[in-house]
Amino acid sequence: MQRRLTWRRALVLSFGLLALLVAVQFLWRGQPPTQDQRPTTLVLAHRGVHLNYHKGRYDLKTGCEAQHIFPPSHAFLENTLQAIAAAFDAGADVVEIDIRKTADNDLVLFHDFALECRTNGTGLVAERTVAELKALDIGFGYTADAGQSFPFRGRGVGKLPTLREALQAFPERSFLLDHKDWDQASLQILIEQLADVPTEQRSRLWFWSSAALQGRLQSRYPEIKPLFFTRREVKDVFAPFFASFGLIAIPDAYRGRTMAIPVEYVPYLWGWPYRFLNAVHAQGIHLFLMVDSADEAQQYASLPVDGFITDYIERTGPILSARP
């Protein structure tokens, strides 16, 4: 009987100590860094200034977003030169753009693999030439009222740009290239086109693709680095670091990578904000917050994070770009 009580006490004490450890980890916030220790903070605009959509409504099979947009508050279509310029004007440091291969072995800025959702065309982007794609109305399919009206029809003809046109239009700016095809053929086209881009301009580019394709591009152009962890790397590399309260280190090969976290998740981060950020930075990792409203931007703008990602650069950019 005495042994059983002793064992129970030991078990209760162990659980109590574990609970105390977890509580300390989550409640101990740490100290803010001094001003000269603050990281350089980047503001990344997803697809430039674009028409956002109800996230839970689009067709999972087709990925069609344009038929579920919110009522438009501006006249910009994603991945166009106009949308990119507007994002930079609103305070973006980096604009994410989607690149896809065409039938005549060029690269254009377009999100979907098929044309039916956003445009008046049919078939795959990869089955059409640049000339055919530029003849399409890329605003044709956008509707906020289940097809009762299409406010952008006739306003997107000729607005689909090539990657070359985007890089030539913004030679001093930074881009995150989202490689939508994830194949060797389109990567080879990218490698060939980037040979004509000055090294200094290439150094302002980041790339998102599979780890293997990222490695191939970086072996040719070491100045073009991956920005974010891939989903697999988040699971294999960042998750153990997070679950162990930072005791399991992130391998040196991943130093310089970025972890993006929606702001609704930050209350669940141990040591948030300063001790968590210090631990992440000690591992050579950057942390971006995903913010979409002016209130969120205002709330988090002063934190010493490495960057912000936003789908609403027109709302958040003026606040984030004005941070001290």
Side-chain angles (χ1 to χ4, degrees):
M1 184 67 177
Q2 184 64 32
R3 288 182 179 178
R4 184 178 301 174
L5 289 175
T6 301
W7 179 84
R8 287 179 178 175
R9 289 194 188 102
L11 185 62
V12 170
L13 179 61
S14 297
F15 276 110
L17 290 174
L18 179 61
L20 178 62
L21 172 63
V22 171
V24 169
Q25 290 289 347
F26 278 92
L27 296 177
W28 178 24
R29 294 160 51 88
Q31 297 296 319
T34 60
Q35 191 68 26
D36 59 353
Q37 292 175 321
R38 290 169 61 91
T40 299
T41 304
L42 298 176
V43 179
L44 189 156
H46 183 226
R47 306 188 200 173
V49 177
H50 66 282
L51 298 166
N52 279 279
Y53 62 96
H54 297 270
K55 296 295 192 289
R57 296 187 187 177
Y58 69 92
D59 188 329
L60 293 176
K61 293 182 179 179
T62 64
C64 185
E65 303 165 352
Q67 295 175 15
H68 306 280
I69 63 170
F70 293 106
S73 59
H74 58 74
F76 296 103
L77 297 171
E78 66 182 51
N79 283 311
T80 61
L81 299 184
Q82 296 81 6
I84 293 169
F88 285 130
D89 289 344
D93 299 300
V94 185
V95 172
E96 182 266 357
I97 53 178
D98 303 310
I99 58 174
R100 285 195 179 277
K101 175 184 175 295
T102 67
D104 49 351
N105 294 321
D106 207 340
L107 296 171
V108 293
L109 274 53
F110 198 76
H111 177 270
D112 301 355
F113 65 90
L115 295 166
E116 285 84 354
C117 176
R118 300 179 194 274
T119 82
N120 55 338
T122 59
L124 305 180
V125 176
E127 297 172 341
R128 300 289 182 262
T129 66
V130 170
E132 290 172 326
L133 292 169
K134 283 185 173 292
L136 296 177
D137 179 2
I138 62 171
F140 188 84
Y142 287 88
T143 178
D145 51 16
Q148 296 182 52
S149 64
F150 293 88
F152 291 89
R153 283 191 176 177
R155 301 168 68 176
V157 178
K159 288 191 175 181
L160 190 152
T162 65
L163 175 61
R164 279 197 182 99
E165 289 170 339
L167 296 180
Q168 290 170 0
F170 306 97
E172 303 297 324
R173 296 294 195 168
S174 296
F175 289 100
L176 169 60
L177 308 181
D178 190 342
H179 181 222
K180 288 298 183 181
D181 294 314
W182 278 43
D183 64 11
Q184 296 283 352
S186 57
L187 180 69
Q188 183 58 39
I189 296 171
L190 178 62
I191 289 173
E192 293 170 359
Q193 291 193 4
L194 289 175
D196 299 326
V197 176
T199 302
E200 184 178 355
Q201 184 177 2
R202 288 199 303 263
S203 70
R204 291 189 287 271
L205 303 179
W206 284 276
F207 187 61
W208 168 261
S209 188
S210 69
L213 296 177
Q214 285 179 345
R216 183 183 168 197
L217 180 69
Q218 196 170 7
S219 68
R220 178 64 178 84
Y221 301 113
E223 64 274 18
I224 303 177
K225 295 178 173 58
L227 181 58
F228 295 107
F229 283 105
T230 65
R231 292 178 180 86
R232 179 63 181 270
E233 289 165 346
V234 170
K235 178 181 177 181
D236 294 345
V237 176
F238 193 82
F241 167 82
F242 176 77
S244 68
F245 301 113
L247 296 177
I248 297 178
I250 293 175
D252 288 343
Y254 295 95
R255 295 181 72 86
R257 293 287 184 92
T258 298
M259 180 65 197
I261 299 179
V263 291
E264 55 264 32
Y265 292 168
V266 297
Y268 308 105
L269 300 176
W270 48 263
W272 179 260
Y274 305 115
R275 194 165 59 84
F276 182 82
L277 288 169
N278 289 337
V280 168
H281 290 156
Q283 295 291 317
I285 302 303
H286 306 302
L287 188 136
F288 279 33
L289 293 180
M290 301 168 69
V291 298
D292 281 336
S293 70
D295 287 343
E296 290 174 346
Q298 193 71 51
Q299 180 179 356
Y300 294 99
S302 63
L303 289 179
V305 297
D306 300 276
F308 296 92
I309 307 174
T310 181
D311 273 320
Y312 292 89
I313 186 65
E314 68 276 14
R315 300 177 185 175
T316 62
I319 298 170
L320 297 174
S321 61
R323 71 193 300 273

